[in-house]
Amino acid sequence: MNKEFHFLDDGGEMGKLMREKDWSLTPLGPPVGWPQSLRTTINIILNSPFPMFLFWGDTLKGFYNDAYRPILGVDGKHPKILGLNGAEAWSEIWKDIYPMLSVVTKKGESIWRENLMIPIYRNGRMEDVYWTFSYSPVKDESGNVSGVLVIVTDTTEAVLAERRLRESERRFRELADLSPVWIWITDNEINIEYSNKALLDYVGVENESEFTGQVWVDVVHPDDLDVVYSGFGKALEDQTGFTLEYRVKNNSTDKYEWFKVLGVPKFEEGKMIGFIGTGMNIDKQKSFADQLKEEVDNRTRQLADSNLKLEAMNKELQSFAYISSHDLQEPLRKIQMFSEVLMENEFDKLSTSGKTKFEKIQSAANRMQSLINDLLSYSRTDTEKRIFETVDLENLVEDVKNDLGEELHKKSGTITIVNSVEIEMVKFQFRQLMYNLLSNSIKYSKSDVPPVVTIEIEIITNANTIDENLLNDKEYVQITITDNGIGFDEQFSEKIFEVFQRLHSKQEYVGTGIGLAIVKKIVQNHAGVISASGELNKESVFTIILPKKQ
């Protein structure tokens, strides 16, 4: 290409193709013979950022720029239509576009078409494409129309998007009109721009255009207008959503019903232009809520009465505890005292039968003393003031072992704590818990086997998987006490924690049947759980889980 043809300079890919093409093999001939009008027009096209196509001459040969190139797609017309006759280059649509080209070439008139669907072969197939374009005449040096300049935009995506939007809006309106819930859109003055059928029918408005802010004034209960104005006003000022409850008149019944109205701000180009929202009839729920409130108030009064009765019962329980610790124990102590005196001074004078009866009197008195003491302990686990403190479990177990030293020595037993941890506890209660469990392990040991008791401690964090009443986000301590005693049948694992429940007779093992009930109540006082498992004539296992910190 001769360097003097500066009109073909630059132009990107298409400029390069035009410079490298051997035009001498075409009817146009070398560019040296091209008219100035063609040169000027091509130069404009090549340097334009807008998609442009030029039909030139009697056969309407084609030229186009880089901006037009993507319109042709791949595996299509590019680049073979460069310089090709129009009828040959656009054979599949020539009958559609040639009449428009003729208007320009013969009459010298420009034409404009918007979103016109004209198929085109590209990407290896025929595609339906929508175009917005103008056809403008290009005159030569003699003033005759020698070409047609096409400025075009492929608007397929925009047209299809608009269709999808219209279809979406159509479906939305159909669905919205089937909904019993109000669906609405307003401007900033609360004038309705869109309303579904449910809202229009309810307030008795036929057309959305009639649904101005004044309609709200007419249909909202007078006592609730301030709620509406202040709610919408604050949401408009803060540009936030809102939730309001107010009464609206039913056009069919002239009765006011409660609605819950929710709205969110609507924006265009960053500017708030109104609200989008819903409204749901909650009149029945409101009525139910009022009834429920009345029932709750009644129930609250009943609970208050029950609490008064409970307080009276607690006072009676405290009185019973006082009587048990003083009035009941006083005659019992005298029975024990005089029995001991008679046993010391008059025992030898009694017959064999009398001696047996006296021993039974003493035994019964001692059992009564134990029963009273255990009942007092059981009642105090609820009534005594709870003061939590941090205690090392190993030290507490050692104190209990010292108290049980004589029993352990008689049976050659051992109590071993594998590890230890500090726990927040009511110390005197937890000491009694450990005493009851460990003394039971010694008491219910096999006659020919020394008792061996093992206490294992671990920290757990998945407590809820063990018991649904425990919390997974809280740190718990699991205490497992295992012995090698006589055990028990697994079917009694719950029963043994009930008051006065015994699995063995008084003749076999001394006890009142309250010890494990006290243990369970103390565990509950520490927001924990306790369980038991065992195997008859083999072992017993007690598992306690309670918070490390209260």
Side-chain angles (χ1 to χ4, degrees):
M1 180 63 65
N2 194 312
K3 288 292 184 180
E4 69 180 85
F5 303 127
H6 295 297
F7 69 95
L8 294 179
D9 287 351
D10 304 319
E13 176 191 0
M14 296 311 301
K16 183 173 183 295
L17 287 175
M18 289 184 194
R19 290 192 297 272
E20 294 177 351
K21 186 176 179 66
D22 188 354
W23 293 100
S24 64
L25 301 178
T26 71
L28 275 176
V32 67
W34 293 359
Q36 186 60 43
S37 54
L38 175 59
R39 296 184 183 190
T40 302
T41 305
I42 289 177
N43 182 257
I44 292 172
I45 290 174
L46 290 177
N47 289 282
S48 174
F50 293 98
M52 291 185 177
F53 192 97
L54 175 65
F55 289 99
W56 185 262
D58 294 336
T59 58
L60 299 174
K61 299 182 185 300
F63 300 86
Y64 53 97
N65 62 3
D66 279 3
Y68 186 89
R69 164 68 188 88
I71 289 176
L72 298 173
V74 296
D75 191 18
K77 300 177 181 296
H78 176 76
K80 62 185 178 182
I81 65 169
L82 179 62
L84 198 64
N85 295 340
E88 186 179 353
W90 301 97
S91 58
E92 74 276 21
I93 58 171
W94 193 245
K95 63 181 179 56
D96 296 315
I97 65 173
Y98 182 69
M100 293 184 286
L101 290 169
S102 296
V103 170
V104 180
T105 57
K106 293 178 180 179
K107 296 183 179 181
E109 298 177 358
S110 297
I111 64 172
W112 165 268
R113 297 290 184 271
E114 186 174 11
N115 297 328
L116 180 65
M117 199 278 283
I118 301 177
I120 181 176
Y121 182 82
R122 65 183 183 187
N123 302 321
R125 64 184 185 278
M126 288 296 294
E127 293 185 10
D128 290 339
V129 184
Y130 290 84
W131 311 93
T132 293
F133 59 89
S134 66
Y135 284 0
S136 303
V138 178
K139 296 181 179 181
D140 60 16
E141 288 74 10
S142 302
N144 300 315
V145 176
S146 295
V148 178
L149 178 62
V150 182
I151 301 176
V152 63
T153 302
D154 181 344
T155 58
T156 305
E157 283 301 320
V159 170
L160 296 180
E162 184 179 356
R163 285 186 177 179
R164 288 192 295 267
L165 179 60
R166 285 200 301 268
E167 178 63 17
S168 176
E169 288 179 350
R170 184 188 66 80
R171 292 180 180 178
F172 166 76
R173 287 177 178 269
E174 287 181 355
L175 290 173
D177 283 339
L178 292 173
S179 172
V181 176
W182 294 352
I183 301 174
W184 49 266
I185 302 174
T186 74
D187 60 17
N188 286 337
E189 302 298 324
I190 325 181
N191 298 313
I192 292 289
E193 295 180 344
Y194 168 78
S195 168
N196 70 336
K197 190 173 184 299
L199 176 53
L200 292 175
D201 289 347
Y202 189 89
V203 298
V205 175
E206 292 187 5
N207 302 311
E208 294 167 354
S209 59
E210 302 171 8
F211 205 154
T212 63
Q214 180 59 41
V215 174
W216 290 113
V217 178
D218 297 335
V219 299
V220 173
H221 194 287
D223 293 344
D224 297 339
L225 280 173
D226 285 344
V227 173
V228 176
Y229 280 126
S230 61
F232 272 87
K234 188 174 190 313
L236 180 61
E237 180 181 353
D238 298 341
Q239 297 192 0
T240 59
F242 62 85
T243 300
L244 303 175
E245 292 183 5
Y246 52 86
R247 288 161 289 183
V248 183
K249 184 189 292 184
N250 188 327
N251 181 64
S252 300
T253 64
D254 281 338
K255 292 182 178 179
Y256 288 98
E257 294 177 322
W258 281 97
F259 278 80
K260 185 172 187 177
V261 178
L262 292 80
V264 294
K266 181 177 65 167
F267 293 91
E268 280 188 8
E269 298 180 356
K271 182 180 179 181
M272 182 175 169
I273 59 171
F275 293 95
I276 302 174
T278 61
M280 180 180 292
N281 192 316
I282 59 168
D283 200 65
K284 290 182 179 179
Q285 294 93 314
K286 271 283 189 180
S287 299
F288 175 75
D290 292 340
Q291 294 174 3
L292 183 62
K293 183 178 183 300
E294 185 176 351
E295 290 180 11
V296 169
D297 290 342
N298 290 335
R299 186 59 180 156
T300 301
R301 287 192 293 271
Q302 292 174 3
L303 287 173
D305 293 339
S306 298
N307 285 335
L308 291 175
K309 292 177 181 178
L310 281 174
E311 288 179 8
M313 292 173 65
N314 281 334
K315 290 180 180 178
E316 290 178 3
L317 181 60
Q318 291 174 359
S319 298
F320 168 75
Y322 179 83
I323 292 170
S324 297
S325 60
H326 293 84
D327 298 352
L328 287 180
Q329 293 197 68
E330 183 59 29
L332 180 60
R333 279 195 292 267
K334 287 183 178 179
I335 292 171
Q336 291 173 317
M337 181 183 69
F338 285 116
S339 294
E340 290 176 4
V341 171
L342 287 172
M343 289 290 284
E344 290 177 5
N345 299 330
E346 307 294 335
F347 187 73
D348 293 337
K349 298 177 183 180
L350 299 174
S351 65
T352 302
S353 176
K355 291 177 180 178
T356 301
K357 288 181 174 63
F358 249 100
E359 288 173 349
K360 288 184 177 179
I361 290 172
Q362 278 193 315
S363 176
N366 289 336
R367 286 201 305 274
M368 177 62 78
Q369 184 69 60
S370 296
L371 180 59
I372 290 173
N373 289 338
D374 284 350
L375 281 171
L376 283 171
S377 296
Y378 186 76
S379 65
R380 284 170 182 163
T381 56
D382 278 334
T383 58
E384 288 180 326
K385 186 177 181 181
R386 300 172 196 171
I387 300 175
F388 288 89
E389 55 184 300
T390 302
V391 177
D392 188 296
L393 196 57
E394 186 174 14
N395 294 336
L396 186 141
V397 171
E398 288 298 323
D399 287 344
V400 175
K401 283 172 63 177
N402 290 333
D403 289 349
L404 297 171
E406 186 175 346
E407 290 87 340
L408 282 171
H409 180 70
K410 284 181 181 179
K411 295 195 174 186
S412 301
T414 59
I415 297 175
T416 305
I417 181 167
V418 175
N419 44 31
S420 185
V421 69
E422 289 187 343
I423 307 174
E424 278 192 1
M425 63 175 73
V426 181
K427 186 175 181 180
F428 77 90
Q429 284 191 5
F430 212 82
R431 191 181 189 284
Q432 183 171 15
L433 176 151
M434 295 302 297
Y435 182 89
N436 288 3
L437 289 176
L438 296 179
S439 63
N440 275 0
S441 293
I442 299 170
K443 181 194 301 182
Y444 296 108
S445 61
K446 298 172 184 175
S447 58
D448 56 344
V449 178
V452 176
V453 185
T454 304
I455 304 171
E456 296 180 279
I457 301 168
E458 63 176 314
I459 304 295
I460 58 175
T461 55
N462 60 337
N464 186 254
T465 61
I466 301 172
D467 189 292
E468 62 181 9
N469 295 314
L470 303 178
L471 306 173
N472 267 346
D473 58 352
K474 195 173 182 69
E475 193 174 39
Y476 285 82
V477 175
Q478 178 172 292
I479 303 169
T480 306
I481 301 175
T482 307
D483 63 44
N484 62 340
I486 61 174
F488 60 88
D489 196 315
E490 190 71 24
Q491 64 178 310
F492 300 115
S493 61
E494 295 290 339
K495 184 179 179 181
I496 60 177
F497 292 108
E498 298 175 10
V499 178
F500 299 127
Q501 294 298 324
R502 296 174 53 87
L503 303 185
H504 308 280
S505 67
K506 298 184 183 70
Q507 287 72 29
E508 291 180 284
Y509 299 95
V510 178
T512 61
I514 302 177
L516 288 181
I518 293 173
V519 166
K520 184 173 182 179
K521 191 169 284 291
I522 291 172
V523 171
Q524 290 173 341
N525 288 347
H526 287 74
V529 294
I530 184 170
S531 61
S533 61
E535 189 174 343
L536 198 60
N537 296 319
K538 187 174 181 181
E539 67 175 9
S540 299
V541 180
F542 288 86
T543 303
I544 302 166
I545 302 175
L546 69 163
K548 189 173 185 292
K549 293 184 178 181
Q550 294 295 320

